[in-house]
Amino acid sequence: MKIAMIGTGYVGLVTGTCFAELGNNVICVDNDIAKIEKLKSGIIPIYEPGLDEMVKKNCDAKRLSFTSDIKDAVKVSSIIFIAVGTPPKENGEADLSSVEKVSSIIADVMTEYKLVVGKSTVPVNTGKWIKKTINLRNTKGVNFDVASNPEFLREGSAIDDFLRPDRIVIGVESERAKNILTELYKPIDAPILVTDIESAEIIKHASNSFLATKISFINAISVICERAGADVIQVAEGMGLDKRIGKHFLNAGAGFGGFCFPKDLGAFIKIAENLGYDFKLLKAVSEINDEQKKAIVKKVKENVWNLGGKTVGVLGLSFKPNTDDIRYAPSIDILRDLISEGAKIRVYDPKAMERTKEIFSDITYCDNPYEVCDGSDALVILTEWDEFKKLDLKKVKKLLRTAVIIDGRNIFEPETLRKMGFVYTGIGRK
Ligand code: NAD
């Protein structure tokens, strides 16, 4: 099938490449000309395991190409995915101006049937707006369908998530759209749930909000554990063995981040508000997440007292391992708070330092975790990269000025570290 993927970010680039891998002809479009130029010369603008090889393979096979000319891409494609960003506005609502812009361009250039599929995460009823926008400009009366196909991939394991998903959700209002999309996804071995467009849109927001709720729930439990002298790891294990609860997303830590959970939660709260429902539960989820980030700074202060003039070493900047994405990462808020308390910062992240330099220019970026430890008064772990789990802790202890570790991702065993002479604080641990 001939596909145009409009928006070549984390989602557009991965899904476009995977559709090409499945044998389709895919043109990935973006209005960021520099990004497209990079891609054309073989440079992948994001870090995602396995993506560079797959992009190269499909470009070589002439199934995948890149352009900044959206009109040309729409003209030659029968399925047009919209995968542009839907960032939050000041009030938390999703900014849909890019979705609208793209819909208008599609309407202006289409001369034959097009299936326009929303892949970006959007508020319920966006499909209706896309249809309305296209209809307004579709003076020639060209036949088209709108569908919703929310994306559930996770950065860091995006290719595998796309090719081996738990489910595929297709929101449609015509048999023709349903047939095209079920055919497109045929090579993927996963249940396909066909719904109306509004339900598909809500499934995405409801799923992300539910996962965020699970994280904030266990983070709230971690506070109870700390106060009561219990261990959140044991509590989570005991809860997770119950099949109705499940063990995933029960890891207490420094809070969730990334381009999905915080903004989707905010958008869903706003969607509910616009529909006349006060989604108090989700407001609490968001508050707990903010408190969790603040708690890290508090734990540092509780251990080293005044931060003015002290050096805090930070390991991990990306919102989770195996990605270079720092959008809404807890590290950003935590670094800001540490800096405003007067701390000097030394940081290391295997992939996310370049992006972080655009936000914090005057902190010290180190080449490895040991350089971070050298002369630091405390070491804070904010991302559970495997590399950090394998640290030579004897070396770490020697390099730190005071052997204080605040483990924001519970990657170490408290007892082991305390036996080694560290002052160790995890999240919700004894
Ligand atoms: P991104 O910012 O990485 O990519 C969006 C891309 O769209 C950018 O490259 C941008 O230049 C491009 N763009 C914006 N306006 C455009 C226009 N008018 N024409 C052409 N290109 C345009 O964002 P992302 O992480 O890929 O997310 C995209 C959507 O998918 C969002 O709605 C997000 O919530 C959703 N989503 C993201 C993830 C994830 O893990 N990142 C997972 C599932 C769903």
Side-chain angles (χ1 to χ4, degrees), residues 9-11 30-31 35 86 98 120-121 151 155 260 263 327:
Y10 282 88
V11 166
D30 208 286
N31 62 356
K35 186 183 266 191
T86 49
S98 296
S120 301
T121 303
E151 184 50 57
E155 289 175 21
C260 291
K263 91 170 164 56
R327 293 177 291 180

Side-chain angles (χ1 to χ4, degrees), residues 49-297:
L51 186 59
D52 15 9
E53 295 89 331
M54 199 183 267
V55 169
K56 185 174 181 322
K57 179 181 157 198
N58 284 284
C59 286
D60 288 350
K62 307 255 178 281
R63 286 190 299 262
L64 179 65
S65 60
F66 301 99
T67 182
S68 46
D69 190 335
I70 176 171
K71 292 183 179 172
D72 273 1
V74 169
K75 273 182 208 155
V76 299
S77 307
S78 50
I79 311 177
I80 299 146
F81 280 93
I82 303 179
V84 297
T86 49
K89 294 192 214 167
E90 283 273 300
N91 67 358
E93 232 167 64
D95 180 349
L96 298 174
S97 52
S98 296
V99 176
E100 182 185 350
K101 206 176 284 168
V102 167
S103 308
S104 306
I105 300 173
I106 295 170
D108 288 344
V109 296
M110 65 184 197
T111 53
E112 56 187 347
Y113 176 82
K114 305 285 174 196
L115 173 57
V116 181
V117 190
K119 196 153 235 346
S120 301
T121 303
V122 291
V124 61
N125 286 326
T126 299
K128 279 202 182 102
W129 274 106
I130 295 175
K131 191 172 173 185
K132 205 166 160 177
T133 306
I134 297 179
N135 266 331
L136 275 174
R137 304 169 81 105
N138 183 15
T139 46
K140 293 177 219 111
V142 179
N143 196 7
F144 72 98
D145 274 310
V146 170
S148 166
N149 170 221
E151 184 50 57
F152 299 98
L153 63 76
R154 296 163 298 176
E155 289 175 21
S157 54
I159 291 179
D160 202 53
D161 287 346
F162 183 85
L163 294 173
R164 279 169 281 279
D166 291 341
R167 80 309 207 179
I168 293 158
V169 173
I170 291 172
V172 286
E173 53 180 17
S174 84
E175 206 52 29
R176 184 172 186 179
K178 177 185 156 186
N179 291 340
I180 294 172
L181 286 172
T182 43
E183 186 63 28
L184 178 65
Y185 278 107
K186 212 174 191 176
I188 294 182
D189 181 20
I192 297 184
L193 178 69
V194 180
T195 68
D196 56 78
I197 295 178
E198 292 71 34
S199 301
E201 290 167 338
I202 289 190
I203 285 170
K204 176 63 191 177
H205 268 130
S207 300
N208 273 3
S209 299
F210 187 80
L211 292 171
T213 303
K214 239 181 142 181
I215 297 174
S216 277
F217 187 88
I218 200 66
N219 279 336
I221 297 296
S222 79
V223 177
I224 304 287
C225 286
E226 281 173 12
R227 294 185 189 180
D231 182 358
V232 76
I233 302 268
Q234 292 179 31
V235 174
E237 195 182 348
M239 288 170 63
L241 284 169
D242 184 329
K243 287 194 187 72
R244 296 168 302 175
I245 298 173
K247 64 179 182 182
H248 300 290
F249 281 74
L250 285 183
N251 300 317
F256 57 76
F259 194 51
C260 291
F261 286 2
K263 91 170 164 56
D264 293 351
L265 200 61
F268 208 30
I269 291 169
K270 208 69 200 165
I271 291 163
E273 191 184 305
N274 292 341
L275 293 168
Y277 178 68
D278 183 6
F279 215 144
K280 293 193 195 98
L281 174 66
L282 296 189
K283 287 180 179 167
V285 168
S286 181
E287 268 168 39
I288 291 168
N289 198 49
D290 288 341
E291 284 163 12
Q292 209 62 16
K293 292 181 267 186
K294 295 259 178 250
I296 297 286
V297 179

Side-chain angles (χ1 to χ4, degrees), residues 365-382:
Y365 291 89
C366 299
D367 288 337
N368 59 63
Y370 302 107
E371 233 183 273
V372 168
C373 298
D374 197 2
S376 286
D377 296 281
L379 182 66
V380 180
I381 295 152
L382 294 182

Side-chain angles (χ1 to χ4, degrees), residues 391-398 403 405 412-424:
L391 281 178
D392 176 347
L393 290 169
K394 279 189 188 146
K395 196 168 164 185
V396 167
K397 184 154 178 280
K398 246 188 221 153
I405 293 189
F412 295 122
E413 268 311 309
E415 232 181 272
T416 316
L417 266 81
R418 286 184 193 132
K419 268 191 195 141
M420 290 181 74
F422 284 98
V423 174
Y424 174 88

